Amino acid sequence: MRQAKRCIDRICATPYMAAMALREIIILPDKRLRLVSEPVRKITADVRKLVEDMFETMYDAPGVGLAAIQVGMPKRVVTIDIAKKDEPKNPQVFINPEIVTASDEKAIHEEGCLSIPEFYDDVERPAQVKVKYLDLEGQTLEVDADGLLATCLQHEIDHLNGVLFIDYLSKLKRDRVTKKFLKAAKRAAAE
Ligand SMILES: [Zn+2]
């Protein structure tokens, strides 16, 4: 039997909670990771269910960010929670997120990706970004992000455009990690 989940957002109060489910995270070299995701036209029950499942899947992984395409859904939906382990959960949903402005100042963070497990490397990106998005109520909001949130938003928005963080690395490093995952996929298929 499963224990009741901690409330992750007010969306928990909906009847969908009972149906929250883990979804499978697709990993390199799955070609779907290169798809450009479609905007969400209307926030339907399916979108809410997707968001809840994405949180469940992200917390289970565990990860700090997830794009819908990582669970095989080519929709422009991102979930993020960058709260530290000893802090209360802070689930954030970004629907149709767009970078409005990015700072000239850059920052380097070590990044990883649930779709490229156990591989980490430094990526340089704008240090601050302003992002426009919809919340689950369909309201347009803006956030001025810096630090980890800025990195995370850029990493996840890249996913919506079929871009992976390894695309920012040298060709040598990218080829090396891509080969490693191709081999692993072949091995798994042969078993
Ligand atoms: Zn990722």
Side-chain angles (χ1 to χ4, degrees):
M1 203 179 86
R2 280 190 162 186
Q3 286 198 315
K5 291 274 163 197
R6 275 177 63 191
C7 194
I8 53 171
D9 202 347
R10 56 198 149 129
I11 51 175
C12 278
T14 70
Y16 308 115
M17 188 188 172
M20 270 207 299
L22 286 180
R23 300 207 187 185
E24 191 189 339
I25 296 176
I26 61 175
I27 62 169
L28 212 65
D30 195 309
K31 289 192 169 63
R32 288 173 290 176
L33 289 169
R34 294 306 188 175
L35 291 176
V36 175
S37 295
E38 293 287 324
V40 172
R41 309 254 173 242
K42 196 164 176 256
I43 296 165
T44 58
D46 281 352
V47 172
R48 286 168 181 276
K49 174 77 174 79
L50 171 66
V51 167
E52 290 186 1
D53 288 353
M54 283 173 65
F55 274 120
E56 173 136 326
T57 305
M58 183 181 89
Y59 286 128
D60 180 74
V64 294
L66 191 69
I69 190 59
Q70 293 181 274
V71 293
M73 289 292 291
K75 295 244 176 253
R76 301 187 83 82
V77 176
V78 163
T79 55
I80 289 177
D81 189 338
I82 54 164
K84 296 194 182 72
K85 272 186 192 138
D86 53 349
E87 291 172 354
K89 282 186 178 175
N90 180 27
Q92 294 178 278
V93 189
F94 301 88
I95 297 169
N96 300 342
E98 271 174 61
I99 295 170
V100 186
T101 55
S103 64
D104 292 332
E105 188 198 339
K106 309 279 188 208
I108 296 175
H109 285 276
E110 187 180 63
E111 296 188 25
C113 182
L114 293 176
S115 295
I116 313 172
E118 287 163 42
F119 179 77
Y120 305 89
D121 213 327
D122 286 345
V123 178
E124 186 184 83
R125 300 180 184 269
Q128 290 104 29
V129 285
K130 186 192 279 288
V131 172
K132 193 172 102 177
Y133 64 99
L134 299 179
D135 68 6
L136 273 177
E137 270 32 81
Q139 295 185 83
T140 304
L141 300 173
E142 264 184 7
V143 61
D144 286 302
D146 61 8
L148 182 56
L149 183 60
T151 291
C152 208
L153 276 166
Q154 291 174 81
H155 176 119
E156 301 308 333
I157 291 170
D158 273 351
H159 272 301
L160 306 182
N161 296 320
V163 175
L164 300 171
F165 85 95
I166 53 171
D167 299 349
Y168 298 96
L169 308 180
S170 69
K171 187 176 180 314
L172 184 77
K173 277 186 181 174
R174 187 168 55 250
D175 286 351
R176 200 186 289 153
V177 67
T178 306
K179 259 187 213 151
K180 191 183 132 196
F181 279 89
L182 266 171
K183 266 192 206 163
K186 275 189 195 148
R187 261 203 315 273
E191 271 166 15

